[in-house]
Amino acid sequence: MNKGLADMRDYPADTILGLLRAGDDRAPAIGAPGRPWLTHAGLRALAGATVGALNAMGIGRGDRVAIVLPNGPEMAAAFVTIACGASTAPLNPAYKAEEFDFYLADLGARALVIARGMDSPARAVAAARGVPIVELDAAADAPAGTFALDAGGLSGTAASPGPAGPEDVALVLHTSGTTSRPKIVPLRQRNVTASAYHIGASLELTRDNVCLNIMPLFHIHGLIAATLASLAAGAAVSCTPGFNAFRFFGWFAEVRPTWYTAVPTMHQAILGLAERNRATIEAGRLRFLRSSSSSLPPQVMTALEAAFGVPVIEAYGMTEASHQMASNPLPPRPRYPGAVGVAAGPEIAIMDEHGKLLPSGALGEVVIRGRNVTDGYENNPAANATAFHDGWFRTGDQGVLDEAGYLRLTGRLKELINRGGEKISPIEVDTVLMDHPAVAQCLTFAVPHDKLGEEVAAAIVLRDGAEASEHALRDYAAGRLAAFKVPRRIVFLDEIPKGATGKLQRIGLAEKLGLV
């Protein structure tokens, strides 16, 4: 078992409104490339005005407010300030009408906050369901993130007005629902604030830090790691319109961030443009880069550190933990490619399928418990009975804790390939194939097999100008892996399909590629 930061008792605040007290009045809080900063004093004033406006609409603590906004400072500010007095439910603005219909109904949304003039099917869906539409107005000449809410005459008396308390739900997100109906994950004020402080502690964030956010702000990674952790440290976050590798270095030069956080596919795209932006990197003031939300190939970690000249800190997170669970430490403590670090928030242990905790070095399911972990899925006793055991939350990930407390993941349990009873870690196969000089990206996945149940396949993106045949890559893997782990099928792609947050998706890939 690894306690990490689990014994941390000094949580300066247990609500988001309290967390916002950290920054100096005149210091920058939320910004965007090309726009003036909103100060911490300005953000605190905006929070008070927003809670007051919601209360005047009849919306208060515990009421769910769906938010559909493009990535940027207004989305960050809306999440933070609405959460000070209600429950936020950020939704992907790219959803189709059917998806908005499902989520607005499943959430029981009391209102939909949407940018004025934003063309979205969410409007028609909300109107059809009788969900009031609240227009968000952002003044072009005001500091980034500044907004006002227009309820179009909606008024009422909130059942529970005023600022939210520690036990109130601050954020409601759905699990990805790759293989089942998405589950509702309610995260309380004490959950998300604890996670923000855990991240700040592991990254040693101070008021002098500036994060460049390129993550989507309808996802736990961008909301907590980039935004809330920065504000909890009294620091600043500059919010881009979303990830764009070709605009990244322009933003980087203007904002001069001390760090940024991203998923591995984003890091790889940035890495591909790093050499031609050498002068921009050298003129910067980065302290570190952070990677989370999916496994970072060791080769990419090494190349990033060489390109940027700073440590790459890989962290391990998930929605049910309000994001961060483990993180590699900053220097001078060691960090290891292929490891997601030590416990950096909740306690971490390894459990067998019968619920027994295992010793160091044993392979099993990663389990967690702590202040940042959800109390359980909403209205889903069957899922809770499966997910929780003796106070521990089962993450669904398989891994090993070494004697020093470093966690190495071997994959999602549901992503492990079962080839005739042999369990194969797709991450292990990825790592081997990524060492081939022609391979830029690799994603190993299962394909159905009539006798073995599942067989090993790999999707490959080659480096520009490089060549490699399926036979050559299989021979390469055969020299480094046991025979049963070698992919029997290799598919060459220009791009591997990604999810809404930029993560590569193993589950369902065989179907998407027509291999079933």
Side-chain angles (χ1 to χ4, degrees):
M1 187 190 305
N2 193 334
K3 288 184 177 283
L5 297 175
D7 289 334
M8 185 179 186
R9 294 288 182 262
D10 183 22
Y11 293 95
D14 51 16
T15 66
I16 292 177
L17 187 62
L19 173 151
L20 295 182
R21 291 195 289 263
D24 286 338
D25 280 358
R26 291 179 290 178
I30 293 177
R35 296 179 62 185
W37 287 91
L38 176 65
T39 64
H40 281 275
L43 181 59
R44 288 189 281 267
L46 182 62
T50 300
V51 172
L54 290 171
N55 289 170
M57 299 173 202
I59 296 169
R61 299 164 56 184
D63 291 329
R64 291 189 178 166
V65 179
I67 307 173
V68 178
L69 297 170
N71 236 46
E74 284 72 36
M75 178 60 221
F79 157 63
V80 169
T81 59
I82 293 172
C84 288
S87 298
T88 63
L91 298 176
N92 183 349
Y95 280 153
K96 307 297 184 189
E98 295 79 6
E99 292 167 307
F100 280 124
D101 190 58
F102 168 80
Y103 288 113
L104 288 177
D106 205 40
L107 290 164
R110 283 288 310 278
L112 167 68
V113 170
I114 189 167
R116 188 180 297 279
M118 184 176 178
D119 184 16
S120 169
R123 292 181 178 276
V125 170
R129 287 200 162 274
V131 177
I133 296 172
V134 178
E135 305 282 357
L136 183 145
D137 291 305
D141 56 349
T146 307
F147 66 85
L149 298 178
D150 179 2
L154 175 68
S155 64
T157 302
S160 300
E167 297 302 316
D168 291 331
V169 173
L171 175 62
V172 183
L173 295 171
H174 281 80
T175 58
S176 59
T178 306
T179 58
S180 62
R181 175 188 173 92
K183 298 185 286 287
I184 295 177
V185 183
L187 298 170
R188 301 184 188 278
Q189 296 273 336
R190 58 174 166 78
N191 298 144
V192 297
T193 52
S195 191
Y197 290 124
H198 295 158
I199 294 163
S202 60
L203 299 176
E204 298 177 12
L205 297 182
T206 68
R207 291 178 172 183
D208 296 327
N209 281 267
V210 177
C211 176
L212 179 64
N213 180 56
I214 54 177
M215 287 297 299
L217 290 171
F218 53 82
H219 184 256
I220 196 75
H221 185 159
L223 291 170
I224 306 300
T227 304
L228 207 60
S230 293
L231 298 175
V237 57
S238 182
C239 301
T240 71
F243 179 63
N244 184 321
F246 295 102
R247 298 182 67 187
F248 174 83
F249 284 101
W251 296 329
F252 183 94
E254 179 185 341
V255 175
R256 302 191 72 245
T258 59
W259 68 290
Y260 77 89
T261 183
V263 298
T265 53
M266 294 177 182
H267 285 303
Q268 286 179 278
I270 291 167
L271 188 58
L273 300 171
E275 188 54 41
R276 71 185 73 170
N277 290 281
R278 170 71 38 216
T280 299
I281 293 172
E282 292 177 352
R285 54 171 182 164
L286 280 180
R287 289 179 53 223
F288 60 87
L289 309 182
R290 182 179 184 272
S291 185
S292 189
S293 296
S294 59
S295 179
L296 180 69
Q299 300 87 347
V300 177
M301 177 178 172
T302 301
L304 280 168
E305 293 198 343
F308 283 90
V310 296
V312 173
I313 305 302
E314 184 173 10
Y316 169 44
M318 67 187 307
T319 302
E320 290 89 338
S322 308
H323 188 49
Q324 184 166 286
M325 298 178 282
S327 178
N328 274 288
L330 289 164
R333 293 181 66 191
R335 60 195 180 282
Y336 301 108
V340 293
V342 297
E347 296 177 77
I348 296 179
I350 303 296
M351 183 179 285
D352 69 13
E353 59 186 5
H354 305 296
K356 178 184 176 182
L357 295 182
L358 299 174
S360 297
L363 180 67
E365 183 174 7
V366 181
V367 294
I368 58 171
R369 64 182 180 188
R371 182 175 174 136
N372 57 307
V373 181
T374 183
D375 293 340
Y377 300 110
E378 183 174 286
N379 298 327
N380 201 329
N384 288 329
T386 301
F388 290 88
H389 179 80
D390 197 24
W392 294 92
F393 176 77
R394 293 180 177 269
T395 65
D397 291 316
Q398 186 185 71
V400 177
L401 271 174
D402 67 19
E403 292 286 348
Y406 282 77
L407 176 64
R408 294 181 184 273
L409 301 177
T410 55
R412 295 288 293 167
L413 287 170
K414 62 186 178 183
E415 292 176 351
L416 296 178
I417 302 167
N418 187 348
R419 183 182 185 272
E422 295 277 10
K423 301 294 178 63
I424 299 162
S425 163
I427 293 176
E428 180 186 6
V429 183
D430 289 351
T431 302
V432 167
L433 286 172
M434 282 288 292
D435 271 336
H436 191 285
V439 175
Q441 277 190 325
C442 172
L443 193 70
T444 304
F445 60 101
V447 292
H449 189 278
D450 57 354
K451 293 184 176 64
L452 297 171
E454 290 180 332
E455 187 55 276
V456 185
I460 299 290
V461 177
L462 295 174
R463 296 186 184 278
D464 289 342
E467 293 183 2
S469 67
E470 180 175 354
H471 180 73
L473 289 178
R474 291 187 70 248
D475 280 352
Y476 182 84
R480 293 158 176 80
L481 292 169
F484 69 90
K485 299 178 182 179
V486 176
R488 295 311 192 268
R489 182 76 184 270
I490 291 179
V491 182
F492 294 96
L493 302 173
D494 293 330
E495 183 178 5
I496 299 174
K498 303 179 186 69
T501 59
K503 293 193 288 185
L504 301 179
Q505 297 185 309
R506 299 183 203 276
I507 293 178
L509 186 57
E511 290 84 356
K512 287 181 182 177
L513 299 180
L515 301 180
V516 177

